[in-house]
Amino acid sequence: MKTAALNGTKLLICSALLALPTSLWARASEGPAAESAPVILIQNATILTASHGTIERGSILIKDGKIAEVGASVKAPKDAQVIDASGQFVMPGIIDCHSHIAIDGSVNEGSISVSSIVNIADVLNPDDVDIYRDLAGGVTVANVLHGSANAIGGQTIVIKLRWGQPASKLPFEGALPGIKFALGENPKRSNLRARAVRYPTTRMGVEETIRGAFAEARDYKASWDLYNKRTAAGEKNLIPPRRDLRLDPLVEVLEGKRYVHSHCYREDEILMLVRVAKEFGFKVRTFQHVLEGYKVADEIAASGAGASTFSDWWAYKVEAYEAIPYNAALMTRRGVLVSVNSDDAEEATHLNQEAAKSIKFGGLSHEEALKLVTLNPAIQLGIDKRVGSIDAGKDADLVIYNRDPLSDYAVVQKTLIDGRVYFDRQRDIADRPAREKEKKTLLDKEKKSEKKPESGEAAKKPGEKKSEEKKPEEKPKPPQPTVALGGAL
């Protein structure tokens, strides 16, 4: 066994190795970047507002984290920090409607089919390096979801990517919470081997799992409504219904206080959940992935649900074979509110390009494509009054690109959240030599520590062999029962 000190050194080195190539941990300790002046003017930029067209050689005045003014003739106050964006483009911060970053531990509680008791908000990890990497790709807001191992999964949360802030500062203030549903192969788990059978194992079982849970939630809500009514009427000594943490989030869904975001692929399962939602009087906020959404776009639009899809991911399993790159555009043309999401930390670093693909595949306009990763996901998450477009009064969540953001050659120069610069490409590049030097120092320290004799062992003479202890013969173990595990799906 190594000493505690050596273990601590290795832990430090491993942490540093994960982060140092992207010049990050200094930023985490310093908090927001130096350009966090209370008043900032971005000037001479091509401004893509996502709500009222493009402003050439425009300016954005930021005060107290909000957009105070935007237009072609905005003047800088005396105390303003000026960012000259000549030849550059400014767009609203990218909003990822389906993300799994910043989670400590597994994304799934897969042991049961209805895991509505668990909450992603309880396991936010502010030190996840993917927060910084996604900032470098222009992402400012993410809808962080539970996994898809369950018909009704865990509670979800919307966060701002405030790198360097504690976990308590990540949640998007006032954003309505959500809950993850999943349909199809992932929750029915019939394609998984060496695991104990867990209901459901069919698509009809997934439907009845959801229906059964909401039947319970409806009765549970009725019992609380009656109790509250009798209490308000002045009745004394009433015994309240027993609290059920599994049903509380589902009651919030019935009351419109929690959004449903449902993983899905096939048209039949999409229509199934539309029917079940109508039966119990709630709405699906977004169908996630929704690769066959183009087949039932009219029904999705009529239900009032949104669709958050991939641009061109398919064929990675049988139920994704009938996806097409025209999906986002076709649903948009049929009246569905559509966004493009990542479901992957690396994919999130170029969501601007993912949005641009629907210009080629489906003929969306430049502004329609831009909305796929800005205003549309903001509406889907109920946060469009604060983010999603460049309008006076909204949060100053902005991204500055060196080229048109929908170009393959566009590179993020700065990313701002609440009027504070959280990513600056020039400073990131300038800091890399120092970070590489620190990385080398830590690696050398690790090598030096490994050469020292282990704790509790006497120094050995050259050529001396370590005595080997004879291990007792192990008896064969009896067969162990298979355990149901909830892996990431």
Side-chain angles (χ1 to χ4, degrees), residues 45-48 85-91 352-353 366 370 399-414 425:
T46 299
I47 301 173
L48 308 175
S86 297
Q88 299 181 332
F89 292 73
V90 182
M91 65 172 279
N352 57 314
Q353 296 171 3
H366 188 283
L370 187 69
V399 189
I400 303 176
Y401 284 87
N402 62 340
R403 297 174 184 263
D404 186 320
L406 300 187
S407 164
D408 283 346
Y409 300 98
V411 177
V412 173
Q413 304 302 302
K414 287 182 172 62
R425 179 172 174 79

Side-chain angles (χ1 to χ4, degrees), residues 463-486:
E464 183 181 352
K465 293 184 179 180
K466 181 179 179 181
S467 60
E468 297 182 359
E469 295 180 4
K470 187 177 181 181
K471 296 182 179 180
E473 185 178 348
E474 293 187 0
K475 296 181 180 179
K477 296 181 180 179
Q480 300 296 312
T482 304
V483 180
L485 299 174

Side-chain angles (χ1 to χ4, degrees), residues 38-168:
V39 180
I40 298 176
L41 182 73
I42 302 173
Q43 64 181 15
N44 300 324
T46 299
I47 301 173
L48 308 175
T49 66
S51 60
H52 57 279
T54 299
I55 303 173
E56 301 291 345
R57 293 192 61 81
S59 299
I60 303 170
L61 179 62
I62 300 168
K63 291 183 178 180
D64 300 323
K66 299 285 185 180
I67 299 171
E69 193 176 352
V70 55
S73 57
V74 180
K75 294 184 179 180
K78 292 182 179 180
D79 59 343
Q81 174 195 332
V82 176
I83 298 176
D84 186 8
S86 297
Q88 299 181 332
F89 292 73
V90 182
M91 65 172 279
I94 291 174
I95 299 171
D96 188 355
C97 200
H98 189 126
S99 176
H100 298 297
I101 66 170
I103 296 176
D104 185 14
S106 176
V107 70
N108 277 299
E109 175 49 67
S111 58
I112 52 178
S113 189
V114 179
S115 62
S116 50
I117 58 276
V118 303
N119 195 336
I120 290 296
D122 295 333
V123 290
L124 286 179
N125 175 17
D127 295 331
D128 182 1
V129 69
D130 287 324
I131 297 175
Y132 184 83
R133 290 170 177 161
D134 287 1
L135 276 170
V139 180
T140 56
V141 174
N143 185 29
V144 185
L145 303 175
H146 185 272
S148 54
N150 321 77
I152 297 179
Q155 300 166 48
T156 69
I157 189 168
V158 180
I159 66 170
K160 286 200 177 191
L161 275 57
R162 299 179 176 119
W163 175 251
Q165 299 294 324
S168 61

Side-chain angles (χ1 to χ4, degrees), residues 93-99 139-145 156-161 171-180 256-262 284-288 304-308 337-342 351 371-388 397:
I94 291 174
I95 299 171
D96 188 355
C97 200
H98 189 126
S99 176
V139 180
T140 56
V141 174
N143 185 29
V144 185
L145 303 175
T156 69
I157 189 168
V158 180
I159 66 170
K160 286 200 177 191
L161 275 57
F172 192 119
E173 303 84 351
L176 215 60
I179 188 167
K180 176 74 175 290
K257 298 176 181 177
R258 183 177 292 276
Y259 290 149
V260 172
H261 302 289
S262 182
V284 178
R285 190 69 179 188
T286 65
F287 285 102
Q288 298 281 332
S308 190
L337 183 70
V338 180
S339 67
V340 171
N341 66 59
S342 74
L351 273 176
K371 287 181 178 179
L372 293 178
V373 291
T374 55
L375 189 55
N376 289 2
I379 295 171
Q380 290 175 342
L381 298 175
I383 54 177
D384 52 297
K385 290 184 178 179
R386 286 185 51 187
V387 294
D397 292 5

Side-chain angles (χ1 to χ4, degrees), residues 161-210:
L161 275 57
R162 299 179 176 119
W163 175 251
Q165 299 294 324
S168 61
K169 298 295 185 182
L170 296 184
F172 192 119
E173 303 84 351
L176 215 60
I179 188 167
K180 176 74 175 290
F181 285 17
L183 313 176
E185 294 299 322
N186 287 25
K188 76 185 187 68
R189 298 154 62 92
S190 60
N191 59 340
L192 299 179
R193 299 292 181 263
R195 292 186 178 183
V197 175
R198 185 206 74 184
Y199 180 83
T201 60
T202 64
R203 279 181 163 77
M204 60 185 175
V206 171
E207 178 176 358
E208 289 311 314
T209 296
I210 297 172

Side-chain angles (χ1 to χ4, degrees), residues 215-258:
E216 288 184 65
R218 183 172 56 189
D219 293 342
Y220 177 67
K221 179 180 182 301
S223 66
W224 272 103
D225 288 346
L226 178 59
Y227 169 77
N228 292 330
K229 181 179 179 181
R230 293 175 65 184
T231 301
E235 292 190 44
K236 305 294 184 182
N237 302 320
L238 295 175
I239 299 176
R242 181 168 179 165
R243 181 87 180 277
D244 191 325
L245 299 179
R246 182 176 63 97
L247 297 178
D248 280 343
L250 304 187
V251 170
E252 291 177 338
V253 170
L254 293 174
E255 294 175 340
K257 298 176 181 177
R258 183 177 292 276

